[in-house]
Amino acid sequence: MSDIKNEDVCATTAECVTTVDAPQNIFDRIIINSFSIICFSSAVVLTLTICLAAFFRYVLEKNLYGYEEWVKILAFWLYFIGAAIGAYSRTHVSADLVNAYLPDGKLKEFLVVLRNFITVCVGGLFAWYGYEFFMFGFMGPLGTGIAIPKTSVWRIPLWLGYLSVFLGLLFMVYYFARDLVLSLRELFRRKKK
C-alpha cells in the first residue's frame, strides 16, 4: 500500500533514497544519460577484457600483453562516473543516524543541513585534488606539456584515467550541493497550520 503523503515529502526533500528516475531538467538528463552509457560501456568492455585475458591464459596458455592498463582505466571510469550517478540518485552508502533515530523537527533538519554542508566541503576539497591530479597528468610533472606520464606497455596517457576522477568528483559535489540547497529550503520553510 502506497503512502501518498510520504511520496510527496520524498519528492521535495533530500532525505529520501529513491530509485534512479528519469531526470527532470535537460542538464541532468544529458549528464545522467551520458554517464549511464559510459558506465554500461565500461562494465561491458571491462568484463570482456577480463574474460579474454582468462581465455588467453588458461585455454591458449598465452598472455594478453598489457591488458591491465585498459582494465585500470575502465575501472576508474566505471567507479567515479558511477559515483556521480549515485550522488544524483542519493544512493551512496551512508551510516545516517540522524534520519534513523531523530524524530522529525528543526533539530533533525539542522543536522541534515550540517551533514550536507560538510559533505559538500569535503567533496569540494577532493574535487580540487582531482583537478590537480588531472592537470598533473595532462601537463606533465613540469607543467609544460613535456614528459606527459603514460602507461608502460600501450603508452596510454594517464590523464585519460585521471579525467574520470575529476569529472566524477565534480559532479558528485554538484549533486551534493543540490541536496544541501534542498535541505536548507526544508529547514527554513514555514510549517502550514
Side-chain angles (χ1 to χ4, degrees):
M1 182 169 173
S2 174
D3 185 4
I4 301 298
K5 182 179 179 186
N6 190 25
E7 289 175 4
D8 291 340
V9 170
C10 191
T12 59
T13 65
E15 295 312 306
C16 300
V17 176
T18 62
T19 58
V20 180
D21 295 327
Q24 299 302 318
N25 64 46
I26 189 72
F27 177 77
D28 287 343
R29 194 174 301 147
I30 291 169
I31 294 301
I32 297 304
N33 288 338
S34 300
F35 284 1
S36 297
I37 291 168
I38 290 170
C39 283
F40 178 78
S41 302
S42 295
V44 168
V45 174
L46 188 62
T47 303
L48 291 175
T49 303
I50 292 172
C51 289
L52 190 63
F55 177 78
F56 266 71
R57 177 167 291 159
Y58 298 112
V59 175
L60 301 179
E61 296 181 357
K62 303 282 182 188
N63 192 10
L64 189 58
Y65 190 63
Y67 80 95
E68 301 91 356
E69 295 175 356
W70 292 102
V71 166
K72 288 176 190 173
I73 290 172
L74 290 169
F76 267 78
W77 279 95
L78 179 63
Y79 181 79
F80 282 98
I81 298 304
I85 293 172
Y88 164 76
S89 62
R90 300 179 186 102
T91 55
H92 274 278
V93 175
S94 68
D96 192 4
L97 300 176
V98 172
N99 287 334
Y101 292 109
L102 284 180
D104 290 340
K106 288 297 178 187
L107 176 63
K108 179 178 180 178
E109 292 171 359
F110 173 75
L111 290 175
V112 168
V113 167
L114 182 63
R115 177 199 64 202
N116 289 338
F117 177 74
I118 292 170
T119 301
V120 169
C121 291
V122 171
L125 178 66
F126 281 111
W128 173 254
Y129 286 136
Y131 171 76
E132 292 289 322
F133 193 46
F134 166 69
M135 289 309 292
F136 170 79
F138 191 71
M139 295 300 293
L142 302 175
T144 60
I146 299 174
I148 295 174
K150 297 181 180 181
T151 61
S152 57
V153 176
W154 288 96
R155 308 298 296 157
I156 304 167
L158 292 181
W159 66 263
L160 188 63
Y162 298 165
L163 179 62
S164 68
V165 175
F166 174 57
L167 285 178
L169 290 169
L170 183 69
F171 280 98
M172 285 172 67
V173 170
Y174 171 74
Y175 290 117
F176 289 150
R178 173 207 57 192
D179 293 342
L180 175 62
V181 169
L182 289 175
S183 62
L184 280 168
R185 282 185 190 166
E186 183 72 19
L187 177 65
F188 291 116
R189 75 174 167 80
R190 295 187 181 186
K191 301 280 185 192
K192 294 180 182 178
K193 293 182 181 182

